[in-house]
Amino acid sequence: MSGILPPGVMPPPGLRQGINPMAPQVGQQGMNPPQQGLLAPNTQSYGAPPLPPIEGLVRPMGQRPTDHQVIATLLPRRKDEDIPDDPTDDLPPEIRPYALGLRPSVQPSSTEWVQEIVYQRLGKEDHEIAEINRYYFGIARNYDEELSGQRVTASEYYNGKGFGDEPALKGRSQLVMTVVRDTIRSTLPSLLRVFTGVEDPVHFEPISNEISGDDKLATMLSRQATDYARWALFVANPGWSILHDALLDALTRKAGWVRWSWGKKQQIRTEVAEGLILPQLQMLLAEPGIEAQRIVRRPMTRAEQEAMAKTPEGQMYLGQGGPPEYWSATITRSVQQAWPVVESVPSECVWVVSDASTVKEARGVFHVRDVSASDLIEMGLDEHAVLRAGGSAPTTQWRREAIARDSASGHHMHGGPPNDRSMGMIRYIEGWIRCDADNDHKAELLHTHSLGDDCRLVQWERTDEIPLSCFTPYREPGRIIGSSVSDMVMDLQRLQSRVMRATLDSLGQAMYPRTVITLGQVNMSDVRQTAIGSIIRVAQQGAVQELVKPFAGAAALPIMQLLEGVRESRTGITRASQGLTVDELQSTAPIAVSQQTSAAQDRLDMMARTLAETGLAPLYSGLLRMLAKQQDRPNVIRIRGEWISIDPRALGTMWEAAVEVGGKGMPMERLAMLAQIAGKQEQIITNYGLQNPLVGVPEYRNTLARMLETANIADVSNYFKELPDDWQPPPPNQGPTPEQVLAMVQQQKTAADLETDRAKAQTDRSKALSDDDRERDKAALDAWVELWKIGAQFGTPVPSLDELRAAMQPDQPNLGLIGDLPPPTSPQQPATGMQGPQQPKSGPASPLMGMAPGQGGGLGAQRPQAPLAPPVGSTPPDTAHMVRQALATGNLPTTYGQIADRAVAGNIAGMGGPSVRPGA
């Protein structure tokens, strides 16, 4: 493998064009001249090639040099003081004063050359723009020096450092209350829940007429733009950590800054590929993004050659005369992708001019930081200017702020290594200033790049926005940087610390009082002994006494409660908003708890709304504009569990960011309201159908989705599917006309009346049959009692009650009963309740009229039409004779009379009584 040779240096022997140093050299025994190419195969048997005579050859550490190792040619050593020539010297003299605005674009490493045509209206020379840039930078630096002292104080209060007035006496309390940190940590979770929850705190509304008139398209594109900006912040970047750092800086140090830019996402990994044949190695090295680190080849063993011959690739390779060699390669695979970059910037690294009211309208904004020379050159800055700037040490102001943030890291800030200029830290000042660069008396926004503490301009270009957003919790009119939570409670932290110190000192003096002794009467070593139960030797009684002081700290406790109330009224962070104790809940009315919670929530909502308006809305808008500017084709991303194609046309529309933070109430209140809305929607759909003009399935699904989002459930599709774009509600059923409805009602009424009459007739008939059965049973029981009495008197056998009942069953059909009515034809239920089918009684049952004995017949069973009189020949002769006699004489038999006659006849003539002769 040959390396890169310096200009003017001829390649050494063995590395000439087309000669492989790893191949056998000409002149060796049994060797032929190699073929052209670095990886040229050799079909002849050969031995290991000799080491080429390269001066300054580097070999692996710990190994002796052998003829099996070949390393590429070394590059000449560059001295640290070597700086490339200034490329501006090659420009024409008339353009050279404007060279800083004509810097070439960064040439990709995969291209051999780049041609660039610059259309630039040149009005001011570079030194004029540099003076304007230094002017704005000086104003911003002076303003930041004033803010720096306030940030250092706030950081010290947050970390609980001393105030400098602690008593130097031993034994006195030096406690520092952390009121600032406690208040901020109580506020931060609520803000993060609002900004990083499922519900979008910011959404986009169209302000152009491109999609006016199409509400459905506008809603779809607005949702798509909001989702894409949210994806760029929370998926493509660690959005939670970014907002956490920015909000913590805003609550503590007045301002939290977030910056966005279009960068790249690079993944690099090292791989080792072994057991390759030459075509496979060539295909591997031809892949884009592959860089070879080491290549090794060796002859195959007999077993490896036999195994290779069994594979399709091996058969083809060996069959074409390829040498039986194995190759192995150590490669570096790198993949780059254009990517949105969002980062949180420390508050001390952003300097603004003092008269700026918003970031968008500021005359000068500067991002100041220490960056390595390697990163600056990779950004595209001129190598000559970067290396000439040299390293810069942290200033006193920066070191103070670093120590206030973190004492450990602040005291150990170091620059780059002494022998590597690429990692030397250089002060990089990236600014955005408004300047009339083309002398048309209209200021343009310029993006400037300066190096060093003296702000030496090295490059500038025109731009259209400042990619920075400032989060501030309490906005001051006409100023970018407002007030912080620390500003409201720092004095309370000092007061509470002093009160608590005095309370603890009083407690210590009451628990450990001072001792009064009489000189010369006490053993001083015993007095100094503080062990429990130790003996003090005295010459006389009363030589040792304790100077007792009562505890006076109880009077200071109400002051602590008063200061706590002042803190709650200033910040809105109360114990009610953080959760009440059991005692407080039992002694507080629910309406009072709700009012306290709502009042605290209003203050938090106002703070969240201010942070969203000042920082989050500009961040979303800037991300959307950047994505629209950089994207030239649809991008497919995963949002809410689905893959969605983002169309650049949706991003190119003019959008306005609308903030939805604040004024929504508590989550439980919003859920209750959404539940009422869902109930109303269900009622409307039930009463008026899916075709009503007010509510449909899409609106109902949106309500359910918003309920899940309010409960912080992100993946709504797991519970309710997305409606297809072409979904339409099913057509409603064609109902009958009013005349048809009236006819149906009349028919149903008539059928219901018939059913009611039929049920009444069946009920009456069933009642008659029941009464007859009851009277017959009663007569049988009375007859059995009389027979039992007679049998007991005369000693005659008495039949059982079942036998008596069976004998009293009539053996002829019932007379005088009407037939069944026609079966019902209406599905309506009768007006009166229908009785169930007649349950059969134990023993032989009386068959109904027109039915043969043994056939069941409930009221609901279908029976044939019964005749009004028994058919001819079906009545026994004796029964017919008795009926004719009763009809002739007018003495119709009663039920009791028949039962009694049958009972007497059965006792004398046997069961059933004497037979009646015809004509008797």
Side-chain angles (χ1 to χ4, degrees):
M1 295 178 291
S2 62
I4 302 176
L5 299 178
V9 178
M10 296 299 295
L15 287 180
R16 294 190 301 272
Q17 180 67 26
I19 298 180
N20 181 10
M22 301 184 67
Q25 299 298 313
V26 180
Q28 294 183 359
Q29 185 176 0
M31 300 301 159
N32 294 327
Q35 301 179 8
Q36 298 295 322
L38 178 62
L39 302 177
N42 192 347
T43 58
Q44 304 296 328
S45 60
Y46 58 90
L51 192 67
I54 303 177
E55 183 179 359
L57 183 66
V58 178
R59 301 178 178 86
M61 293 179 59
Q63 297 184 12
R64 298 180 61 185
T66 64
D67 55 357
H68 297 279
Q69 300 163 349
V70 176
I71 307 299
T73 305
L74 300 180
L75 294 175
R77 180 179 178 85
R78 171 179 288 182
K79 299 180 181 179
D80 291 341
E81 58 272 12
D82 292 342
I83 298 177
D85 297 334
D86 190 356
T88 60
D89 296 338
D90 299 334
L91 295 176
E94 61 272 10
I95 301 180
R96 194 173 302 167
Y98 309 94
L100 299 183
L102 302 174
R103 292 296 182 184
S105 301
V106 180
Q107 177 179 345
S109 58
S110 58
T111 60
E112 298 180 358
W113 55 271
V114 173
Q115 184 179 15
E116 183 178 8
I117 302 176
V118 180
Y119 295 91
Q120 186 76 281
R121 298 177 61 185
L122 303 177
K124 284 185 171 60
E125 296 183 357
D126 292 338
H127 70 90
E128 296 176 312
I129 295 179
E131 291 178 359
I132 298 174
N133 186 58
R134 278 194 296 267
Y135 170 76
Y136 286 128
F137 178 74
I139 296 177
R141 179 172 53 189
N142 295 334
Y143 181 45
D144 188 75
E145 288 178 356
E146 181 68 23
L147 296 177
S148 177
Q150 301 177 14
R151 290 194 300 263
V152 170
T153 303
S155 299
E156 292 176 349
Y157 272 76
Y158 178 84
N159 293 322
K161 296 183 179 180
F163 309 117
D165 58 351
E166 288 77 14
L169 298 178
K170 184 178 181 181
R172 299 294 296 275
S173 175
Q174 298 183 4
L175 174 68
V176 177
M177 300 292 291
T178 56
V179 179
V180 173
R181 182 169 59 193
D182 297 341
T183 305
I184 291 175
R185 289 187 175 181
S186 300
T187 309
L188 190 58
S190 300
L191 297 177
L192 286 174
R193 182 171 59 250
V194 172
F195 290 156
T196 63
V198 175
E199 294 182 287
D200 292 321
V202 177
H203 73 279
F204 290 102
E205 293 290 344
I207 59 175
S208 65
N209 58 359
E210 298 178 7
I211 53 178
S212 61
D214 193 345
D215 293 340
K216 184 176 181 180
L217 177 61
T219 302
M220 187 268 292
L221 294 181
S222 174
R223 184 66 172 176
Q224 191 176 94
T226 304
D227 290 341
Y228 201 18
R230 182 179 178 87
W231 172 87
L233 177 59
F234 290 100
V235 179
N237 293 277
W240 191 94
S241 300
I242 294 171
L243 291 181
H244 172 274
D245 297 345
L247 292 177
L248 184 59
D249 269 354
L251 297 177
T252 308
R253 304 170 185 90
K254 298 178 179 294
W257 294 89
V258 176
R259 180 182 177 179
W260 60 91
S261 60
W262 190 255
K264 61 182 179 180
K265 182 180 180 182
Q266 186 175 12
Q267 297 180 354
I268 300 176
R269 64 177 184 269
T270 301
E271 301 177 358
V272 178
E274 298 180 347
L276 302 178
I277 56 178
L278 183 58
Q280 294 175 343
L281 177 63
Q282 293 172 341
M283 293 177 60
L284 177 63
L285 297 180
E287 294 181 8
I290 298 295
E291 182 179 355
Q293 300 294 332
R294 173 173 296 187
I295 299 177
V296 179
R297 71 172 178 177
R298 63 174 179 83
M300 298 181 184
T301 63
R302 182 177 298 276
E304 291 174 344
Q305 188 173 354
E306 293 176 356
M308 178 60 66
K310 296 180 181 180
T311 62
E313 297 85 354
Q315 292 179 1
M316 182 180 300
Y317 174 70
L318 298 176
Q320 294 177 356
E325 297 174 346
Y326 262 151
W327 297 76
S328 64
T330 302
I331 61 174
T332 300
R333 188 187 300 271
S334 61
V335 179
Q336 290 187 2
Q337 182 181 3
W339 203 255
V341 178
V342 184
E343 58 181 340
S344 175
V345 181
S347 56
E348 63 269 17
C349 293
V350 180
W351 301 354
V352 298
V353 294
S354 57
D355 59 348
S357 58
T358 61
V359 177
K360 183 178 180 180
E361 299 174 357
R363 294 189 299 163
V365 179
F366 299 90
H367 182 191
V368 184
R369 60 195 186 274
D370 291 340
V371 185
S372 65
S374 174
D375 293 339
L376 292 175
I377 295 174
E378 188 176 358
M379 291 179 187
L381 298 184
D382 180 48
E383 183 180 2
H384 171 80
V386 171
L387 296 180
R388 190 181 61 177
S392 58
T395 61
T396 304
Q397 175 183 339
W398 277 41
R399 190 176 295 276
R400 285 184 57 214
E401 296 216 29
I403 293 174
R405 279 182 176 267
D406 184 9
S407 177
S409 62
H411 283 95
H412 298 85
M413 298 179 63
H414 300 285
N419 57 349
D420 187 1
R421 299 191 62 177
S422 65
M423 294 307 297
M425 306 305 293
I426 301 175
R427 179 65 46 82
Y428 175 45
I429 304 171
E430 189 175 6
W432 293 266
I433 63 173
R434 299 193 179 275
C435 171
D436 181 15
D438 52 4
N439 292 334
D440 61 351
H441 304 290
K442 296 179 181 179
E444 297 88 23
L445 183 62
L446 303 184
H447 184 197
T448 62
H449 306 269
S450 307
L451 300 177
D453 296 330
D454 54 350
C455 192
R456 185 170 58 256
L457 184 65
V458 296
Q459 185 175 331
W460 64 271
E461 65 268 358
R462 287 182 173 88
T463 186
D464 56 354
E465 68 171 351
I466 302 175
L468 286 168
S469 64
C470 177
F471 291 78
T472 183
Y474 298 100
R475 177 172 171 77
E476 296 293 338
R479 295 291 181 269
I480 294 178
I481 300 175
S483 302
S484 65
V485 176
S486 300
D487 298 335
M488 297 186 174
V489 296
M490 281 193 295
D491 58 337
L492 299 179
Q493 178 169 327
R494 179 184 291 269
L495 290 176
Q496 290 190 19
S497 299
R498 289 180 177 178
V499 172
M500 186 57 67
R501 287 176 184 176
T503 302
L504 295 178
D505 289 342
S506 177
L507 179 62
Q509 292 176 1
M511 296 181 62
Y512 304 100
R514 300 180 66 181
T515 304
V516 178
I517 63 172
T518 303
L519 293 178
Q521 303 295 326
V522 180
N523 190 335
M524 296 302 297
S525 62
D526 294 343
V527 175
R528 295 189 181 97
Q529 179 61 253
T530 59
I532 298 177
S534 59
I535 299 175
I536 300 178
R537 290 169 290 182
V538 298
Q540 62 179 359
Q541 188 71 21
V544 178
Q545 295 181 359
E546 290 184 351
L547 185 61
V548 180
K549 287 188 177 181
F551 174 63
L557 296 181
I559 303 299
M560 296 292 295
Q561 295 180 0
L562 176 62
L563 295 176
E564 184 67 19
V566 174
R567 184 190 69 87
E568 292 179 357
S569 64
R570 290 182 180 179
T571 62
I573 304 300
T574 64
R575 288 178 294 175
S577 63
Q578 299 176 7
L580 300 177
T581 62
V582 177
D583 296 336
E584 290 171 334
L585 287 175
Q586 291 178 354
S587 61
T588 307
I591 185 64
V593 175
S594 178
Q595 290 177 354
Q596 294 177 10
T597 306
S598 299
Q601 186 67 31
D602 290 342
R603 295 187 183 94
L604 287 176
D605 285 348
M606 186 194 70
M607 185 189 303
R609 183 62 181 259
T610 305
L611 290 168
E613 292 283 358
T614 58
L616 195 62
L619 174 60
Y620 268 57
S621 300
L623 285 174
L624 189 63
R625 287 193 298 268
M626 182 184 67
L627 294 171
K629 186 188 307 181
Q630 300 293 339
Q631 181 177 340
D632 57 354
R633 62 181 62 89
N635 186 19
V636 180
I637 60 176
R638 184 176 177 86
I639 299 177
R640 293 186 178 90
E642 296 183 357
W643 291 98
I644 300 177
S645 178
I646 302 296
D647 194 339
R649 293 176 298 177
L651 308 180
T653 307
M654 297 179 61
W655 299 99
E656 183 67 26
V659 178
E660 293 185 349
V661 175
K664 294 184 177 181
M666 301 295 291
M668 296 304 298
E669 297 175 356
R670 297 202 300 271
L671 283 176
M673 178 57 66
L674 289 172
Q676 294 182 8
I677 295 174
K680 291 294 184 181
Q681 291 176 335
E682 294 171 359
Q683 184 179 359
I684 293 173
I685 293 175
T686 302
N687 295 337
Y688 301 100
L690 296 175
Q691 296 288 347
N692 72 86
L694 189 59
V695 177
V697 175
E699 291 76 13
Y700 185 67
R701 197 262 180 195
N702 293 338
T703 303
L704 299 178
R706 183 55 60 90
M707 294 176 69
L708 292 178
E709 292 176 355
T710 305
N712 280 333
I713 299 177
D715 197 354
V716 181
S717 60
N718 283 343
Y719 304 91
F720 305 103
K721 295 180 179 179
E722 289 281 354
L723 291 177
D725 296 336
D726 56 349
W727 184 87
Q728 295 293 335
N733 296 328
Q734 298 295 333
T737 62
E739 293 77 7
Q740 293 176 346
V741 173
L742 181 61
M744 292 174 59
V745 171
Q746 290 289 4
Q747 181 180 2
Q748 293 177 0
K749 184 176 182 300
T750 303
D753 295 340
L754 292 175
E755 189 69 21
T756 303
D757 296 341
R758 179 179 179 277
K760 186 175 182 301
Q762 290 179 347
T763 302
D764 295 342
R765 182 173 59 180
S766 175
K767 182 179 180 182
L769 293 177
S770 300
D771 293 342
D772 182 70
D773 291 340
R774 183 173 62 254
E775 294 297 334
R776 184 182 297 109
D777 293 341
K778 182 178 179 183
L781 182 60
D782 294 342
W784 182 80
V785 172
E786 294 297 332
L787 290 176
W788 187 85
K789 292 180 180 179
I790 296 173
Q793 182 178 0
F794 299 101
T796 58
V798 179
S800 63
L801 181 60
D802 293 337
E803 294 176 347
L804 187 60
R805 294 176 61 186
M808 295 181 64
Q809 293 292 336
D811 54 357
Q812 67 275 357
N814 297 322
L815 302 177
L817 296 178
I818 63 174
D820 292 336
L821 293 174
T825 59
S826 173
Q828 298 291 333
Q829 295 292 334
T832 58
M834 295 178 59
Q835 297 182 0
Q838 191 75 14
Q839 297 292 335
K841 298 181 178 297
S842 59
S846 300
L848 297 178
M849 181 179 60
M851 295 182 61
Q855 290 181 341
L859 292 179
Q862 203 145 31
R863 293 188 281 269
Q865 287 288 343
L868 298 179
V872 180
S874 62
T875 305
D878 51 352
T879 303
H881 174 70
M882 295 177 62
V883 171
R884 286 194 298 270
Q885 185 177 2
L887 292 174
T889 58
N891 297 326
L892 295 176
T894 62
T895 303
Y896 288 97
Q898 291 183 2
I899 293 175
D901 293 342
R902 287 177 181 270
V904 174
N907 189 31
I908 300 174
M911 295 303 297
S915 59
V916 181
R917 296 187 302 274

